[in-house]
Amino acid sequence: MLDVHAIRSLFPILQQQVHGRPLVYLDNAATTQKPIAVIERIDAYYRTTNANIHRGAHHLANISTEHFEQTREKTRAFLNARETAEIIFTSGTTDSINLVAQTWGRQNIGAGDEILLSMLEHHSNIVPWQMLAEEKGAVIRVIPIHDNGTWQVESLDTLINERTKLVAVNHVSNALGTINPIETLIAKAHATGAKVLIDGAQSVTHMPVDVHALDCDFYCFSAHKLYGPTGVGVLYGKRELLDAMPPWRGGGEMIKSVSFEKTTYNELPHKFEAGTPHIAGVIALGIAIDFVQSLSWSEVTAHKQQLLDHATALLLEIDGVRIFGTAPHKAGVVSFNVASHHPFDIGTLLDQQGVAVRTGHHCTEPLWNFYGVPGTVRASFAVYNTLEEIESFITALKKAIHLLS
Ligand code: C6P
């Protein structure tokens, strides 16, 4: 089994008290905490090798470039992409999705074409497509869900048709934790020639991802949900698609040559990486990937399942609790409301007892419109959470309910 206490000792932030109580951090779907090795790598970069990459002919620039490119190779291996040219560094999942919408999307989506999303999408995987659809006269369609928060898979046969140009869905729902059957969807989409973008923001910490085996066309994630720094994201794309896509942001690094008459563009992946990137952040993502790879996936998923099962069982013992998202396959997320208490009130009272959760719509407003509630309280788990923390959370929740009643 996972040595959770050894893992916890690697995360300095977890050792502190909040409002006089030991911190119980259950807001991991929003962002995970960072192991000391990630924090120290950022510090070491600025202390010893800070220099702009890919341009200097000097020692520090060469070392920084080498370390930056090492993370690209680690990311390639982590996702099992075929080549490093298929790994683009962005500022996060949101940025990765916008990149695809503004390049592949503007090039390939026209009037009357359909973009298929699901009811479970984060705003980051809705709004960029709406903006594109508005500009092009394209149509957004939505995979409906059952009450338990799973896709109505049978609807895919009619929703995916010859007008569907793109299907863009998340692998794991941030709001409910549902693990979606993307393999089935990818096969159906490809059968009609549609491309598939997977929003992997919540999946890369939960399970091994093999983009080659999945055969998805694009896969996006954020470093900060994978124990890495904020401000760094990844876009994986199949080389043939990335090669055919026009660049998006113009500037340094993404060009081969510039004159006032004509500019030619750089090779992949640099074509999509205009300007100075978050060099320290990308290098530290490499350390975050090392951390995740040092753990056993089967132990990580088993541990998170245990946390989820324990939290779910204890929540269901409390009068008035309604859990949203009861899919048979879930990642470590539990979203709930208690009677008519406002989620924000519950969250505030939990915070006062040192328990950090997220409250509100979790950037999935259409989903809460489906359930007819404005939002929920959401607890989300990471490898460093313990069963004792789940119990502290439930004790604090009971106290909060008592104070509100
Ligand atoms: N979800 C949450 O609390 P960025 O902000 O670009 O790193 O990630 C956006 C994003 C996209 N898709 C999914 C499925 C996500 O969960 C998120 C981020 C956080 O649920 C912050 S809103």
mmCIF file with all atom_site columns, all heavy atoms in Angstrom, residues 260-284:
data_model
loop_
_atom_site.group_PDB
_atom_site.id
_atom_site.type_symbol
_atom_site.label_atom_id
_atom_site.label_alt_id
_atom_site.label_comp_id
_atom_site.label_asym_id
_atom_site.label_entity_id
_atom_site.label_seq_id
_atom_site.pdbx_PDB_ins_code
_atom_site.Cartn_x
_atom_site.Cartn_y
_atom_site.Cartn_z
_atom_site.occupancy
_atom_site.B_iso_or_equiv
_atom_site.pdbx_formal_charge
_atom_site.auth_seq_id
_atom_site.auth_comp_id
_atom_site.auth_asym_id
_atom_site.auth_atom_id
_atom_site.pdbx_PDB_model_num
ATOM 1   N N   . PHE A 1 260 ? 9.473  42.371 -43.357 1.00 0.00 ? 260 PHE A N   1
ATOM 2   C CA  . PHE A 1 260 ? 8.196  43.085 -43.438 1.00 0.00 ? 260 PHE A CA  1
ATOM 3   C C   . PHE A 1 260 ? 7.339  42.540 -44.577 1.00 0.00 ? 260 PHE A C   1
ATOM 4   O O   . PHE A 1 260 ? 6.127  42.685 -44.584 1.00 0.00 ? 260 PHE A O   1
ATOM 5   C CB  . PHE A 1 260 ? 8.432  44.591 -43.588 1.00 0.00 ? 260 PHE A CB  1
ATOM 6   C CG  . PHE A 1 260 ? 8.844  45.207 -42.271 1.00 0.00 ? 260 PHE A CG  1
ATOM 7   C CD1 . PHE A 1 260 ? 10.128 45.662 -42.068 1.00 0.00 ? 260 PHE A CD1 1
ATOM 8   C CD2 . PHE A 1 260 ? 7.938  45.284 -41.223 1.00 0.00 ? 260 PHE A CD2 1
ATOM 9   C CE1 . PHE A 1 260 ? 10.513 46.190 -40.848 1.00 0.00 ? 260 PHE A CE1 1
ATOM 10  C CE2 . PHE A 1 260 ? 8.304  45.813 -39.995 1.00 0.00 ? 260 PHE A CE2 1
ATOM 11  C CZ  . PHE A 1 260 ? 9.601  46.270 -39.808 1.00 0.00 ? 260 PHE A CZ  1
ATOM 12  N N   . GLU A 1 261 ? 7.960  41.853 -45.496 1.00 0.00 ? 261 GLU A N   1
ATOM 13  C CA  . GLU A 1 261 ? 7.202  41.298 -46.618 1.00 0.00 ? 261 GLU A CA  1
ATOM 14  C C   . GLU A 1 261 ? 6.604  39.928 -46.279 1.00 0.00 ? 261 GLU A C   1
ATOM 15  O O   . GLU A 1 261 ? 5.479  39.638 -46.620 1.00 0.00 ? 261 GLU A O   1
ATOM 16  C CB  . GLU A 1 261 ? 8.094  41.136 -47.870 1.00 0.00 ? 261 GLU A CB  1
ATOM 17  C CG  . GLU A 1 261 ? 8.503  42.435 -48.533 1.00 0.00 ? 261 GLU A CG  1
ATOM 18  C CD  . GLU A 1 261 ? 9.488  43.239 -47.680 1.00 0.00 ? 261 GLU A CD  1
ATOM 19  O OE1 . GLU A 1 261 ? 10.395 42.635 -47.080 1.00 0.00 ? 261 GLU A OE1 1
ATOM 20  O OE2 . GLU A 1 261 ? 9.314  44.470 -47.586 1.00 0.00 ? 261 GLU A OE2 1
ATOM 21  N N   . LYS A 1 262 ? 7.400  39.111 -45.594 1.00 0.00 ? 262 LYS A N   1
ATOM 22  C CA  . LYS A 1 262 ? 6.913  37.739 -45.349 1.00 0.00 ? 262 LYS A CA  1
ATOM 23  C C   . LYS A 1 262 ? 7.613  37.106 -44.147 1.00 0.00 ? 262 LYS A C   1
ATOM 24  O O   . LYS A 1 262 ? 8.826  37.227 -43.991 1.00 0.00 ? 262 LYS A O   1
ATOM 25  C CB  . LYS A 1 262 ? 7.164  36.880 -46.610 1.00 0.00 ? 262 LYS A CB  1
ATOM 26  C CG  . LYS A 1 262 ? 6.755  35.431 -46.408 1.00 0.00 ? 262 LYS A CG  1
ATOM 27  C CD  . LYS A 1 262 ? 6.266  34.766 -47.670 1.00 0.00 ? 262 LYS A CD  1
ATOM 28  C CE  . LYS A 1 262 ? 5.865  33.317 -47.397 1.00 0.00 ? 262 LYS A CE  1
ATOM 29  N NZ  . LYS A 1 262 ? 4.658  33.216 -46.590 1.00 0.00 ? 262 LYS A NZ  1
ATOM 30  N N   . THR A 1 263 ? 6.804  36.397 -43.343 1.00 0.00 ? 263 THR A N   1
ATOM 31  C CA  . THR A 1 263 ? 7.356  35.657 -42.207 1.00 0.00 ? 263 THR A CA  1
ATOM 32  C C   . THR A 1 263 ? 7.150  34.169 -42.450 1.00 0.00 ? 263 THR A C   1
ATOM 33  O O   . THR A 1 263 ? 6.092  33.762 -42.923 1.00 0.00 ? 263 THR A O   1
ATOM 34  C CB  . THR A 1 263 ? 6.654  36.095 -40.904 1.00 0.00 ? 263 THR A CB  1
ATOM 35  O OG1 . THR A 1 263 ? 7.081  37.431 -40.611 1.00 0.00 ? 263 THR A OG1 1
ATOM 36  C CG2 . THR A 1 263 ? 6.994  35.201 -39.739 1.00 0.00 ? 263 THR A CG2 1
ATOM 37  N N   . THR A 1 264 ? 8.158  33.379 -42.149 1.00 0.00 ? 264 THR A N   1
ATOM 38  C CA  . THR A 1 264 ? 7.963  31.925 -42.211 1.00 0.00 ? 264 THR A CA  1
ATOM 39  C C   . THR A 1 264 ? 8.038  31.383 -40.786 1.00 0.00 ? 264 THR A C   1
ATOM 40  O O   . THR A 1 264 ? 8.708  31.963 -39.918 1.00 0.00 ? 264 THR A O   1
ATOM 41  C CB  . THR A 1 264 ? 9.025  31.232 -43.094 1.00 0.00 ? 264 THR A CB  1
ATOM 42  O OG1 . THR A 1 264 ? 10.306 31.597 -42.601 1.00 0.00 ? 264 THR A OG1 1
ATOM 43  C CG2 . THR A 1 264 ? 8.873  31.630 -44.548 1.00 0.00 ? 264 THR A CG2 1
ATOM 44  N N   . TYR A 1 265 ? 7.333  30.277 -40.576 1.00 0.00 ? 265 TYR A N   1
ATOM 45  C CA  . TYR A 1 265 ? 7.151  29.791 -39.206 1.00 0.00 ? 265 TYR A CA  1
ATOM 46  C C   . TYR A 1 265 ? 8.083  28.646 -38.871 1.00 0.00 ? 265 TYR A C   1
ATOM 47  O O   . TYR A 1 265 ? 8.518  27.883 -39.734 1.00 0.00 ? 265 TYR A O   1
ATOM 48  C CB  . TYR A 1 265 ? 5.688  29.398 -38.988 1.00 0.00 ? 265 TYR A CB  1
ATOM 49  C CG  . TYR A 1 265 ? 4.775  30.580 -39.242 1.00 0.00 ? 265 TYR A CG  1
ATOM 50  C CD1 . TYR A 1 265 ? 3.824  30.548 -40.255 1.00 0.00 ? 265 TYR A CD1 1
ATOM 51  C CD2 . TYR A 1 265 ? 4.921  31.756 -38.502 1.00 0.00 ? 265 TYR A CD2 1
ATOM 52  C CE1 . TYR A 1 265 ? 3.018  31.658 -40.510 1.00 0.00 ? 265 TYR A CE1 1
ATOM 53  C CE2 . TYR A 1 265 ? 4.133  32.858 -38.751 1.00 0.00 ? 265 TYR A CE2 1
ATOM 54  C CZ  . TYR A 1 265 ? 3.184  32.798 -39.751 1.00 0.00 ? 265 TYR A CZ  1
ATOM 55  O OH  . TYR A 1 265 ? 2.419  33.891 -40.004 1.00 0.00 ? 265 TYR A OH  1
ATOM 56  N N   . ASN A 1 266 ? 8.312  28.522 -37.560 1.00 0.00 ? 266 ASN A N   1
ATOM 57  C CA  . ASN A 1 266 ? 9.226  27.504 -37.022 1.00 0.00 ? 266 ASN A CA  1
ATOM 58  C C   . ASN A 1 266 ? 8.613  26.109 -37.124 1.00 0.00 ? 266 ASN A C   1
ATOM 59  O O   . ASN A 1 266 ? 7.418  25.941 -37.345 1.00 0.00 ? 266 ASN A O   1
ATOM 60  C CB  . ASN A 1 266 ? 9.539  27.864 -35.558 1.00 0.00 ? 266 ASN A CB  1
ATOM 61  C CG  . ASN A 1 266 ? 10.892 27.344 -35.121 1.00 0.00 ? 266 ASN A CG  1
ATOM 62  O OD1 . ASN A 1 266 ? 11.443 26.441 -35.741 1.00 0.00 ? 266 ASN A OD1 1
ATOM 63  N ND2 . ASN A 1 266 ? 11.431 27.912 -34.060 1.00 0.00 ? 266 ASN A ND2 1
ATOM 64  N N   . GLU A 1 267 ? 9.456  25.129 -36.886 1.00 0.00 ? 267 GLU A N   1
ATOM 65  C CA  . GLU A 1 267 ? 9.016  23.732 -36.824 1.00 0.00 ? 267 GLU A CA  1
ATOM 66  C C   . GLU A 1 267 ? 8.207  23.510 -35.537 1.00 0.00 ? 267 GLU A C   1
ATOM 67  O O   . GLU A 1 267 ? 8.321  24.283 -34.588 1.00 0.00 ? 267 GLU A O   1
ATOM 68  C CB  . GLU A 1 267 ? 10.248 22.810 -36.724 1.00 0.00 ? 267 GLU A CB  1
ATOM 69  C CG  . GLU A 1 267 ? 11.291 22.970 -37.827 1.00 0.00 ? 267 GLU A CG  1
ATOM 70  C CD  . GLU A 1 267 ? 10.762 22.520 -39.165 1.00 0.00 ? 267 GLU A CD  1
ATOM 71  O OE1 . GLU A 1 267 ? 9.918  21.600 -39.178 1.00 0.00 ? 267 GLU A OE1 1
ATOM 72  O OE2 . GLU A 1 267 ? 11.150 23.105 -40.196 1.00 0.00 ? 267 GLU A OE2 1
ATOM 73  N N   . LEU A 1 268 ? 7.531  22.374 -35.512 1.00 0.00 ? 268 LEU A N   1
ATOM 74  C CA  . LEU A 1 268 ? 6.897  21.938 -34.260 1.00 0.00 ? 268 LEU A CA  1
ATOM 75  C C   . LEU A 1 268 ? 8.004  21.571 -33.262 1.00 0.00 ? 268 LEU A C   1
ATOM 76  O O   . LEU A 1 268 ? 9.038  21.049 -33.688 1.00 0.00 ? 268 LEU A O   1
ATOM 77  C CB  . LEU A 1 268 ? 6.047  20.692 -34.507 1.00 0.00 ? 268 LEU A CB  1
ATOM 78  C CG  . LEU A 1 268 ? 4.759  20.889 -35.287 1.00 0.00 ? 268 LEU A CG  1
ATOM 79  C CD1 . LEU A 1 268 ? 4.124  19.518 -35.550 1.00 0.00 ? 268 LEU A CD1 1
ATOM 80  C CD2 . LEU A 1 268 ? 3.799  21.788 -34.547 1.00 0.00 ? 268 LEU A CD2 1
ATOM 81  N N   . PRO A 1 269 ? 7.770  21.765 -31.994 1.00 0.00 ? 269 PRO A N   1
ATOM 82  C CA  . PRO A 1 269 ? 6.589  22.339 -31.352 1.00 0.00 ? 269 PRO A CA  1
ATOM 83  C C   . PRO A 1 269 ? 6.650  23.866 -31.239 1.00 0.00 ? 269 PRO A C   1
ATOM 84  O O   . PRO A 1 269 ? 5.699  24.482 -30.815 1.00 0.00 ? 269 PRO A O   1
ATOM 85  C CB  . PRO A 1 269 ? 6.636  21.700 -29.957 1.00 0.00 ? 269 PRO A CB  1
ATOM 86  C CG  . PRO A 1 269 ? 8.110  21.544 -29.695 1.00 0.00 ? 269 PRO A CG  1
ATOM 87  C CD  . PRO A 1 269 ? 8.743  21.256 -31.023 1.00 0.00 ? 269 PRO A CD  1
ATOM 88  N N   . HIS A 1 270 ? 7.807  24.438 -31.679 1.00 0.00 ? 270 HIS A N   1
ATOM 89  C CA  . HIS A 1 270 ? 8.050  25.866 -31.423 1.00 0.00 ? 270 HIS A CA  1
ATOM 90  C C   . HIS A 1 270 ? 7.042  26.776 -32.133 1.00 0.00 ? 270 HIS A C   1
ATOM 91  O O   . HIS A 1 270 ? 6.792  27.897 -31.689 1.00 0.00 ? 270 HIS A O   1
ATOM 92  C CB  . HIS A 1 270 ? 9.486  26.212 -31.814 1.00 0.00 ? 270 HIS A CB  1
ATOM 93  C CG  . HIS A 1 270 ? 10.473 25.236 -31.245 1.00 0.00 ? 270 HIS A CG  1
ATOM 94  N ND1 . HIS A 1 270 ? 10.711 25.121 -29.898 1.00 0.00 ? 270 HIS A ND1 1
ATOM 95  C CD2 . HIS A 1 270 ? 11.225 24.275 -31.847 1.00 0.00 ? 270 HIS A CD2 1
ATOM 96  C CE1 . HIS A 1 270 ? 11.590 24.152 -29.687 1.00 0.00 ? 270 HIS A CE1 1
ATOM 97  N NE2 . HIS A 1 270 ? 11.911 23.616 -30.854 1.00 0.00 ? 270 HIS A NE2 1
ATOM 98  N N   . LYS A 1 271 ? 6.463  26.273 -33.227 1.00 0.00 ? 271 LYS A N   1
ATOM 99  C CA  . LYS A 1 271 ? 5.473  27.067 -33.983 1.00 0.00 ? 271 LYS A CA  1
ATOM 100 C C   . LYS A 1 271 ? 4.347  27.579 -33.086 1.00 0.00 ? 271 LYS A C   1
ATOM 101 O O   . LYS A 1 271 ? 3.753  28.625 -33.356 1.00 0.00 ? 271 LYS A O   1
ATOM 102 C CB  . LYS A 1 271 ? 4.902  26.164 -35.095 1.00 0.00 ? 271 LYS A CB  1
ATOM 103 C CG  . LYS A 1 271 ? 3.918  26.822 -36.013 1.00 0.00 ? 271 LYS A CG  1
ATOM 104 C CD  . LYS A 1 271 ? 3.574  25.924 -37.197 1.00 0.00 ? 271 LYS A CD  1
ATOM 105 C CE  . LYS A 1 271 ? 2.415  24.995 -36.894 1.00 0.00 ? 271 LYS A CE  1
ATOM 106 N NZ  . LYS A 1 271 ? 1.936  24.252 -38.088 1.00 0.00 ? 271 LYS A NZ  1
ATOM 107 N N   . PHE A 1 272 ? 4.056  26.820 -32.020 1.00 0.00 ? 272 PHE A N   1
ATOM 108 C CA  . PHE A 1 272 ? 2.941  27.209 -31.132 1.00 0.00 ? 272 PHE A CA  1
ATOM 109 C C   . PHE A 1 272 ? 3.423  27.776 -29.792 1.00 0.00 ? 272 PHE A C   1
ATOM 110 O O   . PHE A 1 272 ? 2.637  27.887 -28.859 1.00 0.00 ? 272 PHE A O   1
ATOM 111 C CB  . PHE A 1 272 ? 2.031  26.003 -30.888 1.00 0.00 ? 272 PHE A CB  1
ATOM 112 C CG  . PHE A 1 272 ? 1.318  25.558 -32.133 1.00 0.00 ? 272 PHE A CG  1
ATOM 113 C CD1 . PHE A 1 272 ? 1.654  24.371 -32.763 1.00 0.00 ? 272 PHE A CD1 1
ATOM 114 C CD2 . PHE A 1 272 ? 0.331  26.353 -32.703 1.00 0.00 ? 272 PHE A CD2 1
ATOM 115 C CE1 . PHE A 1 272 ? 1.007  23.972 -33.917 1.00 0.00 ? 272 PHE A CE1 1
ATOM 116 C CE2 . PHE A 1 272 ? -0.321 25.968 -33.863 1.00 0.00 ? 272 PHE A CE2 1
ATOM 117 C CZ  . PHE A 1 272 ? 0.025  24.773 -34.475 1.00 0.00 ? 272 PHE A CZ  1
ATOM 118 N N   . GLU A 1 273 ? 4.700  28.098 -29.698 1.00 0.00 ? 273 GLU A N   1
ATOM 119 C CA  . GLU A 1 273 ? 5.231  28.586 -28.410 1.00 0.00 ? 273 GLU A CA  1
ATOM 120 C C   . GLU A 1 273 ? 5.862  29.962 -28.583 1.00 0.00 ? 273 GLU A C   1
ATOM 121 O O   . GLU A 1 273 ? 7.077  30.139 -28.413 1.00 0.00 ? 273 GLU A O   1
ATOM 122 C CB  . GLU A 1 273 ? 6.227  27.564 -27.832 1.00 0.00 ? 273 GLU A CB  1
ATOM 123 C CG  . GLU A 1 273 ? 5.554  26.255 -27.428 1.00 0.00 ? 273 GLU A CG  1
ATOM 124 C CD  . GLU A 1 273 ? 6.511  25.206 -26.874 1.00 0.00 ? 273 GLU A CD  1
ATOM 125 O OE1 . GLU A 1 273 ? 7.731  25.439 -26.852 1.00 0.00 ? 273 GLU A OE1 1
ATOM 126 O OE2 . GLU A 1 273 ? 6.024  24.139 -26.457 1.00 0.00 ? 273 GLU A OE2 1
ATOM 127 N N   . ALA A 1 274 ? 5.023  30.939 -28.907 1.00 0.00 ? 274 ALA A N   1
ATOM 128 C CA  . ALA A 1 274 ? 5.526  32.303 -29.121 1.00 0.00 ? 274 ALA A CA  1
ATOM 129 C C   . ALA A 1 274 ? 5.948  32.933 -27.796 1.00 0.00 ? 274 ALA A C   1
ATOM 130 O O   . ALA A 1 274 ? 5.268  32.771 -26.782 1.00 0.00 ? 274 ALA A O   1
ATOM 131 C CB  . ALA A 1 274 ? 4.443  33.157 -29.778 1.00 0.00 ? 274 ALA A CB  1
ATOM 132 N N   . GLY A 1 275 ? 7.046  33.651 -27.817 1.00 0.00 ? 275 GLY A N   1
ATOM 133 C CA  . GLY A 1 275 ? 7.473  34.412 -26.635 1.00 0.00 ? 275 GLY A CA  1
ATOM 134 C C   . GLY A 1 275 ? 8.189  33.559 -25.607 1.00 0.00 ? 275 GLY A C   1
ATOM 135 O O   . GLY A 1 275 ? 8.305  32.343 -25.749 1.00 0.00 ? 275 GLY A O   1
ATOM 136 N N   . THR A 1 276 ? 8.636  34.216 -24.541 1.00 0.00 ? 276 THR A N   1
ATOM 137 C CA  . THR A 1 276 ? 9.361  33.510 -23.477 1.00 0.00 ? 276 THR A CA  1
ATOM 138 C C   . THR A 1 276 ? 8.361  32.725 -22.625 1.00 0.00 ? 276 THR A C   1
ATOM 139 O O   . THR A 1 276 ? 7.431  33.306 -22.078 1.00 0.00 ? 276 THR A O   1
ATOM 140 C CB  . THR A 1 276 ? 10.114 34.520 -22.578 1.00 0.00 ? 276 THR A CB  1
ATOM 141 O OG1 . THR A 1 276 ? 10.997 35.281 -23.416 1.00 0.00 ? 276 THR A OG1 1
ATOM 142 C CG2 . THR A 1 276 ? 10.907 33.810 -21.494 1.00 0.00 ? 276 THR A CG2 1
ATOM 143 N N   . PRO A 1 277 ? 8.543  31.431 -22.524 1.00 0.00 ? 277 PRO A N   1
ATOM 144 C CA  . PRO A 1 277 ? 7.585  30.631 -21.732 1.00 0.00 ? 277 PRO A CA  1
ATOM 145 C C   . PRO A 1 277 ? 7.905  30.699 -20.236 1.00 0.00 ? 277 PRO A C   1
ATOM 146 O O   . PRO A 1 277 ? 8.860  31.365 -19.831 1.00 0.00 ? 277 PRO A O   1
ATOM 147 C CB  . PRO A 1 277 ? 7.815  29.225 -22.274 1.00 0.00 ? 277 PRO A CB  1
ATOM 148 C CG  . PRO A 1 277 ? 9.249  29.222 -22.707 1.00 0.00 ? 277 PRO A CG  1
ATOM 149 C CD  . PRO A 1 277 ? 9.594  30.624 -23.136 1.00 0.00 ? 277 PRO A CD  1
ATOM 150 N N   . HIS A 1 278 ? 7.115  29.984 -19.455 1.00 0.00 ? 278 HIS A N   1
ATOM 151 C CA  . HIS A 1 278 ? 7.347  29.877 -18.006 1.00 0.00 ? 278 HIS A CA  1
ATOM 152 C C   . HIS A 1 278 ? 8.436  28.806 -17.831 1.00 0.00 ? 278 HIS A C   1
ATOM 153 O O   . HIS A 1 278 ? 8.143  27.649 -17.527 1.00 0.00 ? 278 HIS A O   1
ATOM 154 C CB  . HIS A 1 278 ? 6.038  29.474 -17.338 1.00 0.00 ? 278 HIS A CB  1
ATOM 155 C CG  . HIS A 1 278 ? 6.098  29.420 -15.840 1.00 0.00 ? 278 HIS A CG  1
ATOM 156 N ND1 . HIS A 1 278 ? 7.249  29.664 -15.115 1.00 0.00 ? 278 HIS A ND1 1
ATOM 157 C CD2 . HIS A 1 278 ? 5.138  29.148 -14.929 1.00 0.00 ? 278 HIS A CD2 1
ATOM 158 C CE1 . HIS A 1 278 ? 6.992  29.539 -13.833 1.00 0.00 ? 278 HIS A CE1 1
ATOM 159 N NE2 . HIS A 1 278 ? 5.722  29.225 -13.696 1.00 0.00 ? 278 HIS A NE2 1
ATOM 160 N N   . ILE A 1 279 ? 9.687  29.229 -18.020 1.00 0.00 ? 279 ILE A N   1
ATOM 161 C CA  . ILE A 1 279 ? 10.802 28.265 -18.095 1.00 0.00 ? 279 ILE A CA  1
ATOM 162 C C   . ILE A 1 279 ? 10.937 27.479 -16.786 1.00 0.00 ? 279 ILE A C   1
ATOM 163 O O   . ILE A 1 279 ? 10.984 26.243 -16.788 1.00 0.00 ? 279 ILE A O   1
ATOM 164 C CB  . ILE A 1 279 ? 12.129 28.994 -18.420 1.00 0.00 ? 279 ILE A CB  1
ATOM 165 C CG1 . ILE A 1 279 ? 11.974 29.784 -19.734 1.00 0.00 ? 279 ILE A CG1 1
ATOM 166 C CG2 . ILE A 1 279 ? 13.283 28.000 -18.504 1.00 0.00 ? 279 ILE A CG2 1
ATOM 167 C CD1 . ILE A 1 279 ? 13.089 30.780 -19.991 1.00 0.00 ? 279 ILE A CD1 1
ATOM 168 N N   . ALA A 1 280 ? 10.957 28.203 -15.667 1.00 0.00 ? 280 ALA A N   1
ATOM 169 C CA  . ALA A 1 280 ? 11.111 27.532 -14.367 1.00 0.00 ? 280 ALA A CA  1
ATOM 170 C C   . ALA A 1 280 ? 9.944  26.570 -14.136 1.00 0.00 ? 280 ALA A C   1
ATOM 171 O O   . ALA A 1 280 ? 10.125 25.457 -13.618 1.00 0.00 ? 280 ALA A O   1
ATOM 172 C CB  . ALA A 1 280 ? 11.152 28.563 -13.246 1.00 0.00 ? 280 ALA A CB  1
ATOM 173 N N   . GLY A 1 281 ? 8.753  27.004 -14.543 1.00 0.00 ? 281 GLY A N   1
ATOM 174 C CA  . GLY A 1 281 ? 7.551  26.186 -14.337 1.00 0.00 ? 281 GLY A CA  1
ATOM 175 C C   . GLY A 1 281 ? 7.595  24.912 -15.155 1.00 0.00 ? 281 GLY A C   1
ATOM 176 O O   . GLY A 1 281 ? 7.236  23.837 -14.671 1.00 0.00 ? 281 GLY A O   1
ATOM 177 N N   . VAL A 1 282 ? 8.025  25.031 -16.403 1.00 0.00 ? 282 VAL A N   1
ATOM 178 C CA  . VAL A 1 282 ? 8.105  23.834 -17.254 1.00 0.00 ? 282 VAL A CA  1
ATOM 179 C C   . VAL A 1 282 ? 9.143  22.864 -16.683 1.00 0.00 ? 282 VAL A C   1
ATOM 180 O O   . VAL A 1 282 ? 8.890  21.652 -16.576 1.00 0.00 ? 282 VAL A O   1
ATOM 181 C CB  . VAL A 1 282 ? 8.438  24.217 -18.716 1.00 0.00 ? 282 VAL A CB  1
ATOM 182 C CG1 . VAL A 1 282 ? 8.836  22.988 -19.530 1.00 0.00 ? 282 VAL A CG1 1
ATOM 183 C CG2 . VAL A 1 282 ? 7.256  24.931 -19.361 1.00 0.00 ? 282 VAL A CG2 1
ATOM 184 N N   . ILE A 1 283 ? 10.294 23.395 -16.274 1.00 0.00 ? 283 ILE A N   1
ATOM 185 C CA  . ILE A 1 283 ? 11.336 22.515 -15.702 1.00 0.00 ? 283 ILE A CA  1
ATOM 186 C C   . ILE A 1 283 ? 10.785 21.823 -14.450 1.00 0.00 ? 283 ILE A C   1
ATOM 187 O O   . ILE A 1 283 ? 10.970 20.623 -14.250 1.00 0.00 ? 283 ILE A O   1
ATOM 188 C CB  . ILE A 1 283 ? 12.616 23.321 -15.399 1.00 0.00 ? 283 ILE A CB  1
ATOM 189 C CG1 . ILE A 1 283 ? 13.236 23.804 -16.723 1.00 0.00 ? 283 ILE A CG1 1
ATOM 190 C CG2 . ILE A 1 283 ? 13.612 22.489 -14.594 1.00 0.00 ? 283 ILE A CG2 1
ATOM 191 C CD1 . ILE A 1 283 ? 14.411 24.770 -16.564 1.00 0.00 ? 283 ILE A CD1 1
ATOM 192 N N   . ALA A 1 284 ? 10.047 22.581 -13.633 1.00 0.00 ? 284 ALA A N   1
ATOM 193 C CA  . ALA A 1 284 ? 9.492  21.995 -12.396 1.00 0.00 ? 284 ALA A CA  1
ATOM 194 C C   . ALA A 1 284 ? 8.383  20.984 -12.701 1.00 0.00 ? 284 ALA A C   1
ATOM 195 O O   . ALA A 1 284 ? 8.184  20.033 -11.931 1.00 0.00 ? 284 ALA A O   1
ATOM 196 C CB  . ALA A 1 284 ? 8.969  23.103 -11.485 1.00 0.00 ? 284 ALA A CB  1
#
